[in-house]
Every structure is written in C-alpha cells, then in structure tokens.
C-alpha cells in the first residue's frame, strides 16, 4: 500500500460515504482507495461543479462532503465552490494532489489559496502521519464545521505505507451549557410581549425543541433563507425573514420586542440590512460559534451551545404565556403568510411568462416531496418565494458567496443526498450556461431532475442596476439561445414555456415515467428588476 491509498482508506474508515471530483494523475490513487473502502464516487465534468456538489451533499445529508481534485489547475478550477463552502462553514474535505517542486507547471501555493478563501490548509508531510492527518482533517471538518484542504504531495503519496488504518473517534460537542446566559435568556423570554424566533442553518436539527419552547414563550417562527421550510406546517410559521419575507412577515418581525436567532448570524440578507430589527428590541443569539454574537447585528446576549440543547433547557424554565400569539395573528398568517397569497398583476404576454406565474404553476404541478436548489441572480427570489418545500430538507441555497453558476451542481449534490425526493434546479440563463457541462452528469446519473431556467436573455441584475441610469447594456444582454435544444442534445427531455398554457408539457412529464431529466426553458418577462437584488446592491 502507498500513502495515497492509506489516506483514502482512512477517510473511508472515518465515515465518509460519498465523494465527488474530477480524476487526474495526482488524485487517481487516493480516489480509487476511497472507492475500495466503500465510498461512492461521483464524477463531475468540472472541478467547480464537483466542489459544489460535495458542498450541497454535506448540507442536505448531514455527513462530511469530500471532493477529490488534481494538483494545481484541479484545485483552482474548484476554488469558487470551495469559497462558497468555506463561507458557509460546510464540513468538507478537499483532497488535492500537490506539486511541491517549484519548477513544475502544476506548482502553486495551494495552502495560501485555501487560507485566502477561508478554508483550513493541512498537508500529509510523511508516510508516518498519513492516517493521523486524514483523521485530523475529518475531525476539524466535523467538530469545527470547516472546509479543509488536505494537500497530498506527489512524492509523499507515492511512498510506501507500512502502518495500520486505525483512526481515532471524534470527541463530539461539549455537554456544558453556560448557566448564567441560559438563565438570562429565560428571563428575557418571560418578559417579552412580542418574541420572534429566527432559525438558521445551525438550527435545522432542532425543530421539535424550538417549537416547544416557542409555544411556551408565545413566539412567532421564522427562518433564514438556508433553513427555509424548518417550521412548515406550524400555524405560527412566517417562512423566511429578510429579502424574501412576505409583507406580513416583515411587519411582524419589525414589531418584535425580542428577536432570538438560533444558529443564525442575522446577516444583511436575513435582516434587510438591520431594518427588520426595530430600535429598542433585544437581540439574542444562540450559536456554537461565539464569533456570531458580534457579527452583523450584534447581540445583547450571546448563548454558546447547541441550539436543540439550549432550547430544551429553556423549555423547563419558561412559564407558558401568549406572547405574540393571538387569534388575530393566526388568522393573518393563514390569509397572508405565503407569497402566493399576495395579489399581483400577471404580466405574462407576448410570448413571455411572468416569473411569479411560472413559479406558482410549477409549485402546483410538481410533487410535494421535492428538494429545490437555487442558483444566484436576478431571478432567484421567484422560486425561493413561490415554490414551496415540505421541510428544511427540501431547500438547498448555496448563496454565501453570491456566485452565479453553482445551481445545477448544487441540485446534483442535493439529489444524491436525498434520493427519495424530486430534485428541482432553479437557474437563470447566465448561471445555466456557466454550469451547462453538468447536464451530462445529470443524465449519466439517471437523476429524475426538473431543471427550470428563468431566461431573460441577460445578466438581469446588471440590466436593472445600471439600465435606469442610462448606461449602455450591450455587454450584459444576449441574443436568444435555444436552451431546450441544448438540453435535448445532452439527453434531457425539454419544454419551452412562453405562457401559462405551455406548462402542460411539464404536467405530461410529471405524469409520465420520468425516465429522463426535464429542462423547462422559461422565457420570462423582464421589464422590472427584483426588490431583493435592490437590497443586495446596498451592500456593494
């Protein structure tokens, strides 16, 4: 056995179940060792796609993601996906060959690249430390929720390995809770008249505990975008807080006198640049990472600990009270709590469909057991707001870096994590064309995916940001592209939608054998920019 094989076997022994990548000479042996150890390997067509697939897989499966890449250009190709994962604190391990000879064409400072985008750089420096370094990379990914680059120098990879594949078990999260902070939060909940809970990614495992506590405290329930669906079915669910919030959700969150963020940093997206937190309202953050307490909207109180355990401890200390919950509020949530309940003027016509009408139509047609992945861009709020999901396991939102082009790969990773659900990829035309190589991956894997392209024949965010000021737009607008024909060329079924009546083609696919993925080429109206992008540009 050589070192590369020992590293792969060690990671398999740690518990890795699925890996993604593009194989070259520098990662050939470690990838095959993963497979020999029982790990499923999913070959992508581009390293950027592979990294994003691994990120999405980790988010939706709850397991460590692994991506395997060639030295040098394999790593640089993956860099955007790795940046998204690092910013999102996704537990992810990047296995990369490393050319340490400075005269090699493949040589770059790979550790510096990882550090620059927020990942943790590690290296297997000798045969003796191969297993321990692999196990440490796994531990850091799991316990510290970090993206880890494990560099595998080519000469070390090829060296003989004579040890055993014995990996230590991870220590897990401490059971200790900060008693004084928990007590202060119990006091604040007991005094609040209009409490609101906003749950983020760090709370996706804690629905039961949060709903029980919220019921005792009389709190309304909302989520950040990445935790959309967590409280689906609750009569007190306001859905997403922030740029995607309904008018009712924004109104009620602004009215809160206590906002408790559970595993949620309350960034500019979630709070509309802080405007959803009224002056005088108390802000509490419960998070495993104390750095979150001072980020974005600073907390009046920070409680370090696992969300479920903190909520469970509080439930025994908070006396039942009505809080923000009343028959009037419940009636308003029923009547106004979803975007499809908000009246709008349908602008479909002239061979183009209003993206709101499109999204509502898809929501009605597609099976409820779905997992929706969203790319970035001017279009992204329409599927995020109008296409519902059954729970927190139904929405995958790789948006921490705001890169377009990640959506299709995100949907692939999510689909592999949740094969029990219909995968739905929502893309803009710009992002779809950036990631189009992975259409072949969708077909090759036999995924029954619905790929919806909201096509305005432009980089719409730039059109609506610069167009009103009279700037020329020739650099950000494009002639029509027959995306349906491109999809058929890859082996997909495809329909072109220019009006509500064309959605019948989607219904036919849903009712059929679903033996091929479906691409929905939606020619959407583009007269207006999106209000959520206007919010985003405030941060530029």
């Amino acid at each position: 056995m050589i070192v590369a094989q020992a590293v792969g076997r060690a990671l398999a022994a740690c518990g890795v179940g699925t890996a993604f990548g593009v194989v070259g000479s520098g990662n050939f042996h470690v990838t095959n060792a993963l497979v020999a150890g029982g790990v499923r390997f999913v070959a992508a067509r581009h390293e950027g796609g592979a990294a994003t697939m691994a990120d999405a897989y980790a988010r939706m499966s709850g397991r460590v993601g692994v991506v395997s890449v060639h030295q040098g250009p394999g790593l640089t190709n993956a860099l955007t996906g790795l940046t998204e994962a690092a910013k999102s604190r996704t537990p992810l391990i990047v296995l990369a060959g490393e050319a340490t000879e400075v005269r090699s064409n493949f040589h770059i400072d790979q550790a510096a690249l990882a550090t620059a985008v927020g990942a943790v750089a590690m290296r297997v420096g000798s045969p003796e430390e191969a297993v321990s370094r692999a196990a440490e990379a796994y531990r850091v990914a799991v316990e510290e929720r970090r993206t880890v680059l494990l560099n595998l120098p080519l000469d070390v990879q090829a060296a003989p390995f004579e040890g055993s594949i014995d990996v230590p078990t991870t220590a897990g999260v401490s059971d200790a809770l900060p008693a004084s902070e928990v007590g202060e939060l119990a006091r604040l909940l007991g005094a609040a008249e209009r409490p609101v809970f906003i749950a983020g990614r760090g709370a996706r495992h804690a629905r039961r505990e949060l709903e029980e506590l919220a019921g005792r405290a009389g709190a309304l329930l909302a989520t950040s975008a990445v935790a959309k669906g967590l409280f689906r079915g609750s009569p007190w669910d306001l859905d997403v807080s922030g740029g995607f919030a309904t008018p009712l959700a924004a109104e009620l969150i602004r009215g809160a006198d206590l906002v408790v963020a559970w595993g949620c940093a309350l960034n500019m997206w979630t709070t509309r640049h802080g405007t959803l937190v009224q002056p005088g309202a108390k802000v509490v953050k419960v998070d495993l990472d104390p750095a979150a307490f001072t980020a974005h909207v600073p907390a009046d109180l920070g409680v370090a600990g696992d969300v479920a355990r903190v909520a469970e401890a509080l439930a025994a200390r908070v006396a039942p009270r009505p809080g923000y919950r009343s028959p009037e509020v419940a009636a308003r949530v029923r009547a106004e709590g979803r975007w499809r309940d908000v009246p709008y003027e349908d602008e479909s016509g002239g061979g183009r469909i209003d993206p709101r009408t499109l999204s509502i139509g898809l929501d009605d047609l597609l099976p409820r057991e779905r997992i929706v992945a969203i790319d970035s861009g001017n279009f992204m709020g329409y599927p995020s707001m109008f296409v519902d999901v059954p729970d927190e396991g139904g929405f995958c939102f790789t948006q921490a870096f705001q890169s377009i082009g990640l959506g299709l790969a995100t949907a692939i990773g999510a689909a592999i994590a949740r094969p029990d659900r219909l995968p739905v990829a929502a893309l803009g035309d710009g992002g779809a064309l950036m990631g189009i190589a992975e259409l072949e991956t969708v077909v090759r894997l036999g995924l029954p995916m619905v790929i919806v392209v909201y096509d305005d024949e432009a980089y719409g965010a730039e059109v609506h940001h610069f167009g009103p000021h009279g700037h020329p737009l020739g650099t950000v607008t494009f002639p029509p592209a027959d995306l349906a024909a491109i999809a058929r060329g890859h082996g997909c079924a495809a329909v072109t939608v220019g009006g509500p009546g064309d959605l019948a083609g989607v219904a036919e696919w849903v009712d059929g054998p679903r033996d091929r993925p479906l691409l929905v080429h939606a020619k959407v109206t583009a007269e207006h920019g999106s209000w959520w992008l206007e919010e985003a540009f405030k941060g530029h």
Side-chain angles (χ1 to χ4, degrees):
M1 184 183 298
I2 60 174
V3 166
Q5 294 167 326
V7 169
R9 294 284 188 142
L11 288 172
C14 285
V16 171
T18 302
F20 302 80
V22 177
V23 174
S25 61
N27 64 323
F28 182 86
H29 293 299
V30 71
T31 304
N32 281 338
L34 287 167
V35 173
V39 176
R40 179 185 181 185
F41 179 71
V42 178
R45 286 301 188 175
H46 190 277
E47 291 90 350
T52 301
M53 291 173 200
D55 180 6
Y57 171 84
R59 294 175 192 239
M60 306 316 292
S61 69
R63 304 183 71 177
V64 173
V66 171
V67 59
S68 176
V69 298
H70 186 64
Q71 64 271 17
L75 181 61
T76 58
N77 278 350
L79 209 56
T80 298
L82 301 186
T83 304
E84 169 65 35
K87 283 181 172 289
S88 298
R89 297 296 291 265
T90 298
L92 183 69
I93 299 171
V94 185
L95 299 173
E98 184 182 28
T100 53
E101 170 53 56
V102 295
R103 288 182 292 274
S104 168
N105 288 347
F106 295 127
H107 175 73
I108 53 173
D109 191 339
Q110 296 189 171
L113 279 180
T115 302
V117 302
V120 175
M122 299 176 66
R123 174 178 287 112
V124 175
S126 68
E128 292 73 23
E129 66 180 25
V131 170
S132 63
R133 294 300 275 174
E136 177 66 3
Y138 187 87
R139 185 201 67 77
V140 171
V142 172
E143 295 183 10
E144 301 180 24
R145 296 179 302 154
R146 299 297 299 272
T147 293
V148 180
L149 169 64
L150 185 59
N151 281 312
L152 304 173
L154 300 181
D155 56 342
V156 176
Q157 280 196 58
F161 175 80
E162 299 177 355
S164 61
I165 310 297
D166 293 325
V167 297
T169 58
T170 57
V173 178
S174 171
D175 288 336
L177 291 177
S180 61
E181 287 84 355
V182 171
E184 176 61 11
L185 178 49
R187 186 191 70 78
L188 290 172
L189 287 168
E193 296 182 356
R194 298 178 306 281
V196 169
F197 289 0
I198 302 179
R201 186 176 172 189
R204 291 175 70 241
H205 65 296
R207 173 172 179 161
R208 178 184 62 79
E209 293 84 356
L210 289 176
E211 284 194 325
E212 181 180 348
L213 177 61
R216 297 183 70 81
L220 303 183
L221 299 164
T223 71
S224 67
V226 294
K228 178 181 172 69
L230 179 61
F231 302 117
R232 188 64 75 247
S234 167
W236 308 104
D237 176 22
L238 302 180
D239 203 33
V240 174
S241 173
F244 298 160
T246 62
L248 176 65
E251 173 193 332
L252 293 174
I253 294 168
R254 282 196 183 101
D257 60 356
L258 174 65
V259 175
V260 186
W262 300 90
C264 175
L266 295 180
N267 64 21
M268 70 173 190
W269 296 98
T270 308
T271 65
R272 292 190 182 177
H273 293 269
T275 63
L276 293 187
V277 181
Q278 71 169 355
K282 292 289 186 181
V283 174
V284 179
K285 294 183 180 181
V286 180
D287 206 288
L288 286 171
D289 183 7
F293 301 158
T294 55
H296 309 295
V297 177
D300 297 294
L301 172 67
V303 182
D306 174 73
V307 164
R309 294 193 60 252
V310 172
E312 192 171 44
L314 282 163
R317 305 177 67 165
V318 175
R321 51 184 290 129
Y324 216 159
R325 299 185 175 191
S326 68
E328 293 78 15
V329 169
R332 290 194 68 190
V333 172
R334 284 195 302 272
E336 309 169 47
R338 295 292 175 266
W339 270 106
R340 65 185 300 153
D341 302 325
V342 179
Y344 71 95
E345 183 179 347
D346 190 343
E347 298 178 351
S348 302
R352 292 196 169 272
I353 187 170
D354 189 308
R356 295 165 292 188
T357 303
L358 168 70
S359 302
I360 292 171
L362 291 170
D363 186 49
D364 290 339
L365 287 170
L366 298 178
R368 307 309 298 172
E369 286 298 310
R370 63 185 69 148
I371 185 164
V372 181
I374 311 290
D375 207 338
S376 191
N378 183 67
F379 80 96
M380 68 184 185
Y382 299 115
S384 298
M385 296 188 300
F386 291 96
V387 179
D388 204 5
V389 294
D391 52 35
E392 77 284 358
F395 195 70
C396 196
F397 196 68
T398 47
Q399 298 285 338
F401 196 36
Q402 292 179 239
S403 172
I404 70 171
L406 305 186
L408 184 55
T410 297
I412 295 171
I416 291 170
R418 294 298 306 265
D420 56 317
R421 293 191 166 178
L422 177 76
V424 181
L427 322 173
D429 53 308
L433 288 165
M434 282 188 181
I436 202 84
E438 301 305 344
L439 268 183
E440 189 278 336
T441 305
V442 176
V443 173
R444 171 167 37 89
L445 295 177
L447 300 176
M449 184 181 293
V450 177
I451 303 157
V452 186
V453 183
Y454 291 70
D455 183 9
D456 61 1
E457 298 170 8
Y459 293 134
E462 285 65 35
V463 166
H464 297 295
H465 184 52
F466 294 106
H469 302 288
H471 296 292
L473 299 175
T475 57
V476 291
T477 55
F478 300 88
D482 191 344
L483 298 175
I486 293 173
R488 293 187 188 102
H490 280 81
C492 298
V495 296
T496 299
V497 175
D502 297 329
L503 289 170
V506 179
E508 291 175 8
W509 182 89
V510 170
D511 293 338
R514 305 183 201 170
D515 54 353
R516 291 186 294 164
L518 172 70
L519 185 133
V520 180
H521 180 198
K523 294 179 175 290
V524 297
T525 57
E527 287 76 18
H528 309 294
S530 56
W531 58 93
W532 54 87
L533 253 291
E534 291 175 4
E535 292 287 333
F537 282 129
K538 292 178 183 178
H540 281 195

